[in-house]
């Protein structure tokens, strides 16, 4: 065989084939080198966002783990090199309490140490954080080879470049992200004054909430609101929360959001609302009923546990996502909390929040999430995350038209479970009256956000009426009180809830 190969080589050389072959091989090597060089050049944020938008515009759920290594690495490069890894023996192995996945975690850390910086880095150089309850680690990854290797490893549930901020690279996304401190005098046709001097929003009558108060006002039920926090500038949501017809309850404020560009930072900026959105949501659900002449909340005797988990309503960035997940875990571990309201979300899945939602859900919490409110950059999206999850109850807003019609800026879809009337037909500015950020001031609030907080309040009324019930029983009663029950509409779920029917 060796002689045959030698003879063939000599023959090829005689006809100049070897020279040609060398040219071809050189060309192949150069092309491969160009491919490698191209792969080592990260995609631009515009290119990354184009991939995201292509997926979500077709109403598919975008998940980072389904992308190729180069795209994930590119997003990591543009996101402070932060990579979040959810590990476990299977998809449901997310809770440290019931897991034996430490071996997987240690193996992954060893592989990263061997690959990053030619194996010269210590664990402390790249391990940003290890979650205390969930099978999650956050690492700093710089090399494409590391991402490629991790995607091939067993025991990884998801890999996400959580430092990448999608919205920072959308030129039309500068909408305030749901924030604002506006005040507006209420139209007299938009409320009814009841004893001892509180204003009942017109939207409450669309769901028979005032009549339901004859049976339940939410006493004894804790509502956890994860949002942008709670105002320190309105006494009704602070020292006067426990006042008038709302005596005998408590409000507590916490903060889990870290306002820092530094991923290793763990110093939160406190519980106070610096956006305005969280204040509106907590007020819709729980504002007191007293003689101050201000709008009352749905469950005006419920306890309120407010968490500043995010900077705004769009869960875009490492600290926002981590802050919300930490709030979910904390509320999940509280026996006094029955209902969790989240008028926040994102257009794609966030593994850490998904794990935290499941963590709280497994502890018997009934979790309501906003179906989505359109802005100039999300009007192509259907129901958003985490409202699309099976473990959450998705809510959107509709008008008071004689037929079902989503509000001007509300999303709809087959994941929606309930709807709330929160906008006058043909008048987008006439929405739900609410307490303002400031003392003795009022405002209007709309979208799927207020619909979600309203539904959370109704759930508290039902649970207060039946304190021994499970979340499944409460949810079933809400379904039975919906317009479309026992069927489910393809766009509006079980429809508008009759609160009176729900508590009777």
């Amino acid at each position: 065989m060796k002689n045959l190969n030698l003879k063939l080589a000599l023959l090829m050389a005689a006809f100049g084939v070897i020279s040609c072959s060398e040219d071809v091989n050189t060309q192949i090597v150069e092309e491969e080198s160009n491919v490698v060089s191209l792969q080592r050049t990260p995609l631009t944020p515009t290119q990354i966002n184009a991939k995201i938008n292509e997926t979500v515009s077709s109403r598919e759920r975008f998940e980072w783990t389904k992308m190729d290594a180069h795209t994930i690495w590119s997003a990591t490069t543009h996101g402070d090199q932060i990579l979040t890894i959810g590990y476990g023996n299977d998809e449901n192995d997310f809770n440290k309490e019931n897991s034996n996945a430490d071996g997987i975690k240690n193996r992954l850390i060893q592989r990263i140490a061997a690959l990053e910086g030619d194996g010269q880095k210590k664990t402390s150089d790249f391990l940003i954080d290890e979650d205390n309850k969930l099978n999650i680690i956050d690492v700093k990854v710089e090399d494409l080879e590391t991402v490629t290797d991790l995607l091939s490893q067993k025991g990884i549930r998801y890999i996400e470049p959580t430092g990448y901020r999608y919205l920072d690279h959308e030129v039309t996304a500068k909408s305030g992200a749901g924030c604002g401190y506006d005040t507006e005098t209420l139209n007299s046709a938009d409320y009814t004054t009841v004893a001892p001097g509180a204003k009942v929003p017109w939207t409450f009558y669309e769901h028979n909430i005032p009549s339901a108060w004859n049976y339940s006002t939410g006493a004894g039920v804790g509502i956890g609101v994860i949002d942008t926090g709670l105002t320190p500038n309105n006494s009704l949501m602070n020292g006067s929360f426990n006042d008038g017809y709302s005596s005998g309850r408590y409000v507590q404020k916490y903060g889990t959001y870290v306002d820092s560009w530094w991923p290793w930072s763990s110093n939160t900026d406190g519980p106070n609302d610096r956006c305005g959105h969280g204040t509106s949501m907590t007020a819709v659900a729980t504002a007191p009923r007293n003689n101050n002449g201000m709008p009352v909340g749905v469950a005006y005797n419920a306890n309120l546990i407010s968490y500043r988990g995010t900077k705004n309503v769009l869960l875009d960035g490492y600290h926002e996502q981590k802050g919300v997940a930490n709030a979910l875990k904390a509320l999940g571990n509280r026996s006094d909390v029955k209902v969790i309201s989240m008028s926040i979300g994102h257009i794609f899945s966030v593994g850490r929040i998904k794990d935290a939602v499941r963590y709280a859900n497994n502890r018997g919490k009934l979790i309501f999430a906003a179906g989505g409110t359109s802005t100039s950059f999300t009007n192509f999206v259907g129901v958003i995350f985490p409202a699309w999850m099976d473990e959450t109850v998705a809510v959107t807003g509709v008008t008071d038209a004689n037929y079902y019609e989503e509000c001007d800026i509300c999303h709809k879809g087959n994941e929606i479970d309930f709807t709330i009337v929160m906008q006058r037909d043909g008048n987008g500015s006439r929405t739900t009256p609410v307490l303002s950020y400031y003392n003795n001031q009022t405002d209007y609030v709309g979208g799927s956000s207020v619909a979600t907080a309203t539904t959370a309040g109704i759930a508290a009324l039902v649970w207060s009426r039946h304190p021994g019930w499970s979340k499944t029983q409460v949810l079933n009663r809400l379904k039975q009180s919906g317009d479309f029950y026992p069927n489910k509409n393809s766009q509006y779920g079980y429809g508008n809830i009759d609160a009176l029917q729900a508590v009777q």
Side-chain angles (χ1 to χ4, degrees), residues 19-30:
S19 176
C20 179
S21 178
E22 288 176 348
D23 291 341
V24 172
N25 288 338
T26 299
Q27 183 180 354
I28 292 174
V29 170
E30 289 177 351

Side-chain angles (χ1 to χ4, degrees), residues 58-175:
S58 62
R59 298 299 176 96
E60 294 181 31
R61 295 177 183 177
F62 179 86
E63 296 182 0
W64 284 107
T65 305
K66 294 180 180 179
M67 304 304 291
D68 60 275
H70 185 248
T71 301
I72 296 173
W73 170 74
S74 298
T76 304
T77 299
H78 294 295
D80 298 320
Q81 286 84 44
I82 304 173
L83 194 68
T84 294
I85 303 172
Y87 60 90
N89 292 291
D90 55 50
E91 176 63 25
N92 295 315
D93 187 19
F94 62 89
N95 186 352
K96 284 181 179 288
E97 293 177 3
N98 307 311
S99 176
N100 59 350
D102 274 352
I104 297 174
K105 176 196 67 179
N106 295 333
R107 171 170 55 81
L108 295 175
I109 290 175
Q110 290 172 4
R111 292 197 72 85
I112 296 170
L115 290 166
E116 282 291 297
D118 297 323
Q120 301 301 309
K121 290 187 176 182
K122 299 178 293 185
T123 300
S124 58
D125 293 331
F126 63 82
L127 183 61
I128 298 173
D129 185 56
E130 177 182 353
D131 196 278
N132 64 337
K133 297 291 185 182
L134 308 173
N135 285 337
I136 300 173
I137 55 173
D138 302 310
V139 294
K140 184 175 182 179
V141 168
E142 299 178 357
D143 298 335
L144 172 59
E145 290 82 0
T146 306
V147 177
T148 303
D149 181 80
L150 288 172
L151 284 175
S152 69
Q153 294 299 311
K154 293 182 179 180
I156 290 184
R157 296 182 292 115
Y158 55 83
I159 294 178
E160 296 177 351
T162 47
Y164 182 73
R165 301 184 67 89
Y166 163 84
L167 296 174
D168 285 355
H169 311 294
E170 288 292 301
V171 295
T172 59
K174 311 303 180 184
S175 63

Side-chain angles (χ1 to χ4, degrees), residues 210-246:
S211 296
W213 288 337
N214 293 321
Y215 298 87
S216 175
T217 56
V221 175
I223 301 178
V225 177
I226 304 174
D227 211 289
T228 63
L230 185 58
T231 177
N233 300 113
N234 192 321
S235 62
L236 294 183
M237 299 306 291
N238 290 275
S240 297
F241 183 77
N242 178 30
D243 181 56
Y245 283 18
S246 298

Side-chain angles (χ1 to χ4, degrees), residues 180-295:
Y181 302 97
D182 298 337
T183 62
E184 187 173 349
T185 302
L186 301 180
N187 187 307
S188 60
D190 291 336
Y191 65 86
T192 299
T193 301
V194 297
K199 291 181 170 68
V200 180
W202 70 272
T203 55
F204 287 14
Y205 289 95
E206 296 288 329
H207 298 273
N208 280 330
I209 291 170
S211 296
W213 288 337
N214 293 321
Y215 298 87
S216 175
T217 56
V221 175
I223 301 178
V225 177
I226 304 174
D227 211 289
T228 63
L230 185 58
T231 177
N233 300 113
N234 192 321
S235 62
L236 294 183
M237 299 306 291
N238 290 275
S240 297
F241 183 77
N242 178 30
D243 181 56
Y245 283 18
S246 298
S247 297
R249 62 176 186 160
Y250 56 83
V251 55
Q252 296 176 352
K253 303 191 294 183
Y254 302 93
T256 51
Y257 170 65
V258 175
D259 190 7
S260 173
W261 61 270
W262 183 244
W264 272 272
S265 177
S266 59
N267 296 321
T268 71
D269 65 352
N272 292 335
D273 188 1
R274 303 186 183 188
C275 165
H277 189 268
T279 296
S280 295
M281 297 308 108
T282 54
V284 166
T286 65
R289 179 176 175 177
N290 58 16
N291 61 359
N292 284 50
M294 293 289 109

Side-chain angles (χ1 to χ4, degrees), residues 388-404:
W388 75 45
M389 291 182 63
D390 292 338
E391 292 84 357
T392 63
V393 180
V395 186
T396 198
V398 295
T399 73
D400 63 346
N402 292 329
Y403 52 91
Y404 270 77

